[in-house]
Amino acid sequence: MSSVILSVRDVVKRFGGLVAVNRVSFDVKKGEILGLIGPNGAGKTTLFNCITGVYKPEEGKVYFMGEDITGLPPHIINKKGIARTWQKVRPFKKLRVIDAVTVGALLRCPDVVKAKEKAKEILEFIGMPKDKYYRLGSEITLIDHKLVDLARALATEPKLLLLDEIAAGLRPHEMDKLAKVLLKIRDELGITLIVVEHVMRFVMKLSERIIVMHEGRKIAEGRPEEVANNPKVIEAYLGTRLV
């Protein structure tokens, strides 16, 4: 379907005798924000790695905008329009903020001067204070590091953005700020988002649809309120009803 930007079909990823992702299938529609939740070890990050080319699945297919991208190298998948952030922030501590974002912009713009201008535009778009543009990575806070990671991913001009626990470690008011930025990315740039998250307050409020994984399998899918009251999800992960 033309409205589907990503299609995952029966993906399997094994590590020895461990099946980390077990025949997972789902579609992502253009312009939606999809939440992906589940307990630690459920296979969420491994699934991200299969989508972005870090791992090649043993079975199944990944289609992006109708094209089979299964097993392609990460840099090729990035060029095709998929970007991601990582579970743990990966700061360039010895680089200035502006230069760390310029690294991402160089994927599409080999001219360093133009890439740096693009980096400035993105930092302004996400609300990074201008007095921090020229600070070293070692001099900024956790929320700033999250925004730099996000800006660097945006600088590659993705159509689909995968965010792995981007709210982890943030205070409630910082999560609210981040949620506004993510909605702005979707609404103003037209970028589709998949958000892996353990902070239920954040992901349930942000997402239009939720997929739940447990022990490598997809066990539920639906609107946030449906998932929050699903008995299988409560037993495997939530422990109590949220809504």
Side-chain angles (χ1 to χ4, degrees), residues 52-92:
T52 57
V54 177
Y55 298 146
K56 183 176 181 178
E58 280 77 21
E59 299 177 40
K61 295 289 185 180
V62 178
Y63 299 94
F64 178 61
M65 299 182 67
E67 178 185 358
D68 184 357
I69 62 167
T70 313
L72 291 179
H75 68 283
I76 297 297
I77 290 177
N78 190 199
K79 284 184 177 180
K80 288 183 179 297
I82 300 179
R84 71 176 295 180
T85 64
W86 297 83
Q87 202 169 51
K88 295 181 179 179
V89 292
R90 300 188 172 193
F92 292 96

Side-chain angles (χ1 to χ4, degrees), residues 11-241:
V11 164
V12 175
K13 180 60 190 173
R14 301 184 183 93
F15 298 99
L18 173 67
V19 184
V21 177
N22 195 347
R23 302 207 173 278
V24 171
S25 297
F26 62 90
D27 291 331
V28 183
K29 296 179 181 179
K30 291 180 182 178
E32 82 170 320
I33 299 178
L34 174 70
L36 180 59
I37 68 173
N40 288 327
K44 305 180 299 296
T45 297
T46 301
L47 180 60
F48 266 19
N49 286 338
C50 289
I51 293 169
T52 57
V54 177
Y55 298 146
K56 183 176 181 178
E58 280 77 21
E59 299 177 40
K61 295 289 185 180
V62 178
Y63 299 94
F64 178 61
M65 299 182 67
E67 178 185 358
D68 184 357
I69 62 167
T70 313
L72 291 179
H75 68 283
I76 297 297
I77 290 177
N78 190 199
K79 284 184 177 180
K80 288 183 179 297
I82 300 179
R84 71 176 295 180
T85 64
W86 297 83
Q87 202 169 51
K88 295 181 179 179
V89 292
R90 300 188 172 193
F92 292 96
K93 292 185 178 181
K94 295 182 179 181
L95 282 184
R96 300 175 302 176
V97 165
I98 185 71
D99 297 323
V101 179
T102 300
V103 169
L106 287 169
L107 179 75
R108 308 281 183 192
C109 181
D111 184 291
V112 175
V113 174
K114 291 181 179 178
K116 188 165 290 188
E117 286 301 315
K118 180 178 176 181
K120 288 180 182 178
E121 292 173 4
I122 292 169
L123 286 168
E124 182 177 2
F125 178 83
I126 65 170
M128 177 70 77
K130 290 185 178 180
D131 65 336
K132 295 183 179 181
Y133 288 12
Y134 295 95
R135 292 188 189 179
L136 294 175
S138 59
E139 300 173 341
I140 59 176
T141 64
L142 178 60
I143 179 63
D144 291 334
H145 279 305
K146 300 270 188 178
L147 291 174
V148 170
D149 276 4
L150 180 59
R152 187 166 58 245
L154 287 175
T156 68
E157 299 181 12
K159 296 179 176 66
L160 174 64
L161 183 58
L162 280 55
L163 306 174
D164 198 348
E165 296 191 31
I166 194 169
L170 300 183
R171 300 180 180 91
H173 73 276
E174 292 173 330
M175 290 185 199
D176 291 341
K177 175 183 177 181
L178 180 60
K180 290 179 181 178
V181 172
L182 297 182
L183 287 170
K184 185 179 179 183
I185 289 169
R186 192 274 304 273
D187 294 341
E188 296 187 21
L189 300 182
I191 296 173
T192 305
L193 306 177
I194 307 178
V195 183
V196 164
E197 195 53 69
H198 284 292
V199 182
M200 291 299 100
R201 169 184 174 271
F202 179 82
V203 71
M204 289 290 185
K205 185 177 179 181
L206 182 68
S207 305
E208 297 153 315
R209 188 163 56 98
I210 300 281
I211 288 174
V212 187
M213 291 183 66
H214 180 54
E215 296 180 344
R217 295 182 178 273
K218 184 179 79 171
I219 64 169
E221 180 178 352
R223 297 191 305 273
E225 61 272 20
E226 294 172 339
V227 167
N229 291 289
N230 184 306
K232 289 183 179 180
V233 178
I234 293 169
E235 180 181 359
Y237 184 43
L238 298 178
T240 185
R241 294 179 185 272

